[in-house]
Amino acid sequence: MNIILLGYPGSGKGTQAQVLARKLGLMHFSTGDIFREEISKRSALGLEAAGYLSGGRLVPDKLVLDLIQSRLATETRGLLFDGFPRTVEQAQALDDYLASKGLAVDRVFFLDLPEQEVVSRLGARRTCVKCGMIYNILTSAPAKENTCDSCSGALTLREDDKPEVIKKRIMVYRDQTEPLLAYYKGNGVFSEIKAALAPQAITEQILSSLKTVGLC
Ligand code: ADP
Ligand code: ZN
């Protein structure tokens, strides 16, 4: 089973992906997490991607698609994509890649969040530097301030969750990623999920939708 989570930055893709991957036994594939990891390792890929992330722009398709090839080549589990694809070109490349293995995208969930919510959520987001766990200091705060519940790592505000960069990311989303909605609506795998709810309620909507179509 191969699933894609789509939506504005801050719509909850990462949070849902962490939970769903565990529940469904899928590989959580987050291109954003991979880029941040490569940046912290100062690898060649990280150095190339860093300026795009800090400026809120998309990493060029070529780099992203090389990543897919190299990271997924030996993966045998179903895939849960979070933050990929982000352009129509990436979506087409993913379809071709899966088709070459006799696979397909089985379901696309669009986490629909009003745009004004996006800004407040991203400003309140904190990410664990050690394990990547995501918190929101207003709605899902850790038990101890600035400390990860699961690994005691320090929580930080992502570089690109600062107000100027948030604005840019929203524009980039509208321009380059929103056209994917039409792309996937056309092929019958699309479901819309109300993302202004609590994380648990969103997970339930996704799982019940997967049950309805016989995927879990
Ligand atoms: P969010 O969904 O909250 O915006 P991500 O962690 O998915 O955050 O992405 C952070 C940044 O990483 C993006 O702004 C972009 O620069 C880069 N990035 C992640 N995934 C892709 C992708 N599929 N294509 C191009 N750039 C990407
Ligand atoms: Zn942690």
Side-chain angles (χ1 to χ4, degrees):
M1 160 161 73
N2 300 303
I3 297 177
I4 295 172
L5 301 181
L6 271 184
Y8 269 112
S11 58
K13 301 184 297 291
T15 303
Q16 292 304 318
Q18 288 173 350
V19 177
L20 289 167
R22 204 171 52 234
K23 283 193 193 257
L24 300 169
L26 301 173
M27 183 219 189
H28 175 195
F29 190 84
S30 162
T31 39
D33 285 352
I34 294 173
F35 287 129
R36 280 184 290 277
E37 197 184 297
E38 296 291 328
I39 290 169
S40 72
K41 287 195 300 199
R42 298 175 184 280
S43 69
L45 173 63
L47 292 175
E48 222 176 327
Y52 295 100
L53 272 86
S54 61
R57 290 174 301 142
L58 293 188
V59 174
D61 286 340
K62 166 89 177 64
L63 280 185
V64 179
L65 296 174
D66 285 350
L67 246 196
I68 301 299
Q69 298 284 352
S70 66
R71 297 268 179 146
L72 296 184
T74 57
E75 184 57 53
T76 54
R77 286 171 290 177
L79 304 169
L80 178 55
F81 292 101
D82 151 23
F84 174 86
R86 251 180 162 91
T87 63
V88 171
E89 290 70 23
Q90 291 179 15
Q92 281 160 346
L94 177 62
D95 280 345
D96 293 345
Y97 175 82
L98 291 173
S100 76
K101 302 186 148 210
L103 301 168
V105 171
D106 297 299
R107 211 74 217 158
V108 175
F109 292 103
F110 169 53
L111 305 187
D112 188 16
L113 189 72
E115 200 180 297
Q116 61 275 24
E117 275 270 327
V118 171
V119 178
S120 74
R121 276 207 195 175
L122 291 176
R125 172 158 74 181
R126 296 292 180 277
T127 310
C128 172
V129 291
K130 259 165 83 185
C131 77
M133 183 85 83
I134 302 163
Y135 296 85
N136 178 306
I137 51 172
L138 303 176
T139 58
S140 55
K144 190 171 161 227
E145 204 180 332
N146 279 321
T147 310
C148 177
D149 289 342
S150 99
C151 80
S152 299
L155 305 186
T156 54
L157 178 68
R158 263 168 51 178
E159 190 72 35
D160 60 347
D161 282 345
K162 299 188 170 148
E164 330 73 72
V165 189
I166 290 175
K167 262 193 229 142
K168 175 72 184 166
R169 286 163 65 207
I170 290 174
M171 278 164 49
V172 166
Y173 172 84
R174 279 205 216 115
D175 262 20
Q176 303 194 56
T177 306
E178 214 158 59
L180 284 180
L181 303 189
Y183 181 88
Y184 286 118
K185 272 179 189 165
N187 64 11
V189 294
F190 187 85
S191 300
E192 203 162 302
I193 300 288
K194 293 280 159 249
L197 305 169
Q200 228 181 340
I202 299 171
T203 309
E204 277 159 22
Q205 281 185 74
I206 293 175
L207 290 174
S208 89
S209 161
L210 285 172
K211 279 195 192 112
T212 310
V213 295
L215 281 170
C216 86

